[in-house]
Amino acid sequence: KENYLMAFEAANDLSDGNEIKARVISTIADIEIQQLNWQAALDNYKILKEIDPFNIQVWKKVISLKLRLGLREDAQKELDACLSIIVWENEREKLRFISECADDNQDFYYARIKLADELQEQGLQKNAIEELDKVIKAGLEVRKKEIAISALQRIIKINPSNVKRYQDLLDELS
């Protein structure tokens, strides 16, 4: 790790050393992850984000590490910031990113709900309901009724043809 730190310092002297710095910092961050030093890895990924703020893989690592450290609200803010900063080539790419954040961090319900919101904005109500169903199931599995109730309320607002099923479940949980 010390050799990588020396390489990072040497890259500062180069006129266009950002690419080299990014590779070195990425390697250091990976070493920190292997050593289960989550905070140090996060600190390095924050540096990477400053060097290349449009690298969605770096954003995903920052979000995952913040969740691992128990910084749930910070992870939510990172996801929101990423979605507002990145210029997405198309909506599918944006949806894929949010979906990967949700899949990589199963208890990150915020990402799954954000995905449902994006799907609904695109007129994909059925897909949005599927994502919210996952939130309901996960919330009930970990005995977090408030999460399930929130997702149920969102589905009821969408007003699917089987809305009564969701209303009955909401009544049962309330």
Side-chain angles (χ1 to χ4, degrees):
K1 189 166 99 174
E2 295 303 318
N3 290 338
Y4 287 107
L5 290 171
M6 289 184 339
F8 178 77
E9 290 301 320
N12 282 330
D13 296 335
L14 300 174
S15 61
D16 191 23
N18 277 350
E19 185 178 328
I20 294 169
K21 282 194 271 190
R23 278 193 272 157
V24 170
I25 292 295
S26 179
T27 302
I28 293 171
D30 290 342
I31 291 169
E32 297 294 2
I33 287 173
Q34 290 170 11
Q35 296 175 345
L36 306 180
N37 191 348
W38 311 126
Q39 184 61 56
L42 177 59
D43 293 342
N44 283 301
Y45 276 107
K46 286 179 180 177
I47 294 169
L48 277 173
K49 201 171 69 168
E50 290 175 16
I51 293 171
D52 184 5
F54 302 107
N55 185 329
I56 60 173
Q57 298 307 317
V58 170
W59 283 92
K60 278 200 308 191
K61 287 282 192 179
V62 168
I63 290 167
S64 291
L65 287 166
K66 285 190 175 197
L67 289 168
R68 195 173 292 264
L69 289 165
L71 305 171
R72 185 161 304 281
E73 287 183 22
D74 287 352
Q76 292 172 356
K77 290 175 186 173
E78 288 290 340
L79 178 58
D80 289 339
C82 179
L83 295 176
S84 67
I85 290 171
I86 300 291
V87 177
W88 303 95
E89 287 184 31
N90 57 54
E91 286 299 313
R92 191 175 303 142
E93 181 186 1
K94 183 178 185 180
L95 292 173
R96 187 176 329 118
F97 172 77
I98 302 169
S99 179
E100 288 173 2
C101 285
D103 292 343
D104 292 349
N105 307 284
Q106 290 295 316
D107 64 339
F108 190 32
Y109 311 113
Y110 183 81
R112 185 90 42 213
I113 291 168
K114 197 70 150 168
L115 178 59
D117 290 346
E118 290 288 333
L119 288 164
Q120 190 175 355
E121 280 181 31
Q122 293 182 27
L124 302 169
Q125 277 72 11
K126 181 181 176 203
N127 300 81
I129 291 169
E130 289 172 4
E131 294 302 324
L132 291 168
D133 275 335
K134 291 176 187 177
V135 173
I136 294 167
K137 182 180 177 191
L140 292 174
E141 284 176 357
V142 296
R143 301 183 195 272
K144 292 191 176 183
K145 273 188 356 181
E146 68 280 0
I147 292 169
I149 288 171
S150 173
L152 281 164
Q153 291 168 335
R154 286 171 177 271
I155 291 175
I156 291 167
K157 284 181 185 174
I158 295 172
N159 197 23
S161 59
N162 60 344
V163 70
K164 181 163 177 16
R165 178 180 145 235
Y166 293 105
Q167 187 62 55
D168 290 346
L169 182 55
L170 178 62
D171 293 343
E172 186 180 316
L173 291 175
S174 298

